[in-house]
Amino acid sequence: MEAQFQQAKRLIDTSEKILLIAHRKPDGDTIGSCIAFYHALTADDKEITMACVDEIPSRYRYMPDSDKFIQEFNYHEYDLMIVCDAGASYMTNYHEKYEDIFDGEVPVINIDHHASNDNFGTVNIVDTMAASATMIIYRFLRYAGYDITPLMATGLLTGIYNDTGSFMHQNTTPETLKIAGELVAYGGRVREVSRHLFKTTPVSTLKLWGRVLNNLKVNKEGVALSVVTKRDFDECDADVDELSGAVDFINCVPKTNYTVLLHEDEKGNVKGSFRTRKEDVDLEEIASKFGGGGHKKAAGFTVPGKLEKEVRWKIIPAHDKRKHRSIRGKSDLRLSE
Ligand SMILES: [Mn+2]
């Protein structure tokens, strides 16, 4: 990691205008990462812009300057781009808007912790053992000699809280707790982070989670499965972001192998999220059957289509050309009544 840190520091030191990029559907880790970098590099007299294709959800707006994210930019104007917490370049979604953005004209520092990361950067700081991208960024900022302010510490702590489910996921290690402790010592506001991330829930979200709980079943294969349809979202007046965390919440049924939450999104896709508490289940492998990916214990996929209930819930693919992603014939996701 030292060599990559050194290369990244050199790139930053020789750049004036730097663009920080969060991944699409931003979460506390990618936002906290950008905020920490923003404060560190602004204090270093750099001209910093933060960008994300999607709006920053209100629950993360407690972080100062979280309102400064822009959605569009001219990347040719920048000396350097730093992409935080994106498991692949397409996770930024900017490859659609700006086709050649990652072709190397502007150097890219890719800082991430997903096993799926394809090293799309000029410099790749990828540590799949890190619980959050902010843990790696914290190490980097310390290495590069930046002062950690309370605002930065709160952003970095947000990433750890977000990705460990407030220290409840398997990825919580002695190192995670050690860094979290150091961030608190730097003035990171634990109570503010946990209040916004885990103790603030609008009525629409509670209603939506009610649907998740109500639809939950365990099939013969020991799979806990729940579904949320477009209609559920409409009736609860909730949007897709509000489902975030629900799959972790239902991943608690005794004697199950893993948990699946299927939902329809507003773009005509079915998304699946997998979680397991078992050591001998590889969800990345299961998700890859549906063209998805992730980690061993947390994975997901997206297929164009909708959910339809016959006797069992199944995915109806939108186009036959995606035939190979059909889950017909595969029993894993079926929910026996
Ligand atoms: Mn992350």
Side-chain angles (χ1 to χ4, degrees):
M1 207 52 64
E2 181 104 10
Q4 285 92 321
F5 277 5
Q6 204 172 13
Q7 290 167 354
K9 184 176 182 327
R10 202 175 305 134
L11 274 178
I12 291 171
D13 287 346
T14 54
S15 300
E16 284 306 313
K17 273 192 85 164
I18 301 174
L19 181 66
L20 297 165
I21 302 181
H23 64 68
R24 67 188 181 195
K25 301 275 175 204
D27 62 9
D29 193 23
T30 195
I31 299 167
S33 295
C34 290
I35 297 279
F37 258 130
Y38 179 84
H39 285 276
L41 301 179
T42 305
D44 201 18
D45 282 334
K46 308 285 183 190
E47 197 183 318
I48 309 299
T49 307
M50 295 186 284
C52 182
V53 277
D54 294 311
E55 286 225 5
I56 304 304
S58 57
R59 69 188 320 173
Y60 303 118
R61 297 272 178 140
Y62 65 90
M63 284 182 272
D65 297 312
S66 54
D67 56 337
K68 292 213 169 83
F69 281 84
I70 57 166
Q71 287 171 294
E72 287 174 14
F73 51 81
N74 176 3
Y75 71 88
H76 303 284
E77 288 176 3
Y78 293 89
D79 305 320
L80 174 66
M81 297 185 283
I82 304 177
V83 182
C84 303
D85 192 39
S89 60
Y90 71 83
M91 287 296 295
T92 65
N93 239 15
Y94 282 122
H95 67 300
E96 285 183 3
K97 253 185 180 161
Y98 313 118
E99 215 181 304
D100 300 322
I101 181 169
F102 297 118
D103 71 354
E105 179 204 316
V106 181
V108 174
I109 299 175
N110 161 28
I111 298 197
D112 184 41
H113 66 124
H114 294 92
S116 60
N117 198 293
D118 54 359
N119 294 324
F120 60 90
T122 316
V123 175
N124 299 290
I125 305 177
V126 180
D127 177 3
T128 56
M129 298 302 286
S132 68
T134 58
M135 278 178 62
I136 310 169
I137 289 163
Y138 171 70
R139 286 192 217 118
F140 173 72
L141 293 175
R142 295 288 312 276
Y143 165 88
Y146 290 97
D147 289 332
I148 309 288
T149 65
L151 287 181
M152 288 160 64
T154 300
L156 295 169
L157 207 49
T158 297
I160 296 178
Y161 258 80
N162 188 89
D163 281 21
T164 61
S166 70
F167 307 106
M168 286 195 290
H169 298 342
Q170 187 80 15
N171 57 5
T172 305
T173 62
E175 178 73 1
T176 316
L177 292 164
K178 183 174 163 275
I179 288 182
E182 290 174 18
L183 290 170
V184 175
Y186 278 116
R189 298 167 69 122
V190 185
R191 270 187 299 168
E192 195 176 348
V193 175
S194 70
R195 178 161 58 87
H196 287 280
L197 260 60
F198 299 103
K199 300 277 180 203
T200 306
T201 315
V203 171
S204 54
T205 308
L206 292 170
K207 284 186 171 172
L208 186 72
W209 284 41
R211 301 286 170 115
V212 173
L213 298 179
N214 201 40
N215 291 335
L216 183 63
K217 297 270 167 60
V218 178
N219 71 12
K220 280 186 232 132
E221 288 89 25
V223 178
L225 188 147
S226 188
V227 292
V228 183
T229 61
K230 177 80 176 48
R231 191 173 161 181
D232 289 319
F233 285 108
D234 293 344
E235 287 174 358
C236 297
D237 199 21
D239 65 39
V240 170
D241 297 337
E242 297 179 61
L243 205 55
S244 162
V247 67
D248 299 301
F249 189 73
I250 59 172
N251 184 31
C252 59
V253 184
K255 292 178 187 154
T256 50
N257 291 316
Y258 60 92
T259 301
V260 188
L261 179 58
L262 298 174
H263 76 268
E264 294 174 334
D265 73 3
E266 63 287 317
K267 292 175 194 145
N269 296 311
V270 172
K271 298 197 171 197
S273 304
F274 297 85
R275 294 290 185 277
T276 187
R277 296 172 299 157
K278 294 191 87 172
E279 297 298 330
D280 55 348
V281 174
D282 186 352
L283 295 178
E284 190 179 9
E285 194 191 319
I286 297 172
S288 72
K289 288 183 197 161
F290 304 100
H295 306 280
K296 221 179 149 207
K297 291 179 164 295
F301 69 88
T302 301
V303 286
K306 59 180 181 169
L307 288 163
E308 198 174 88
K309 195 180 188 185
E310 290 184 335
V311 181
R312 296 157 161 180
W313 287 99
K314 66 181 183 189
I315 298 168
I316 311 296
H319 304 293
D320 276 342
K321 63 184 172 190
R322 299 259 186 173
K323 229 181 256 164
H324 62 287
R325 288 190 188 167
S326 165
I327 63 162
R328 267 178 187 281
K330 292 202 171 77
S331 61
D332 288 337
L333 291 184
R334 289 195 175 175
L335 180 60
S336 303
E337 294 276 304

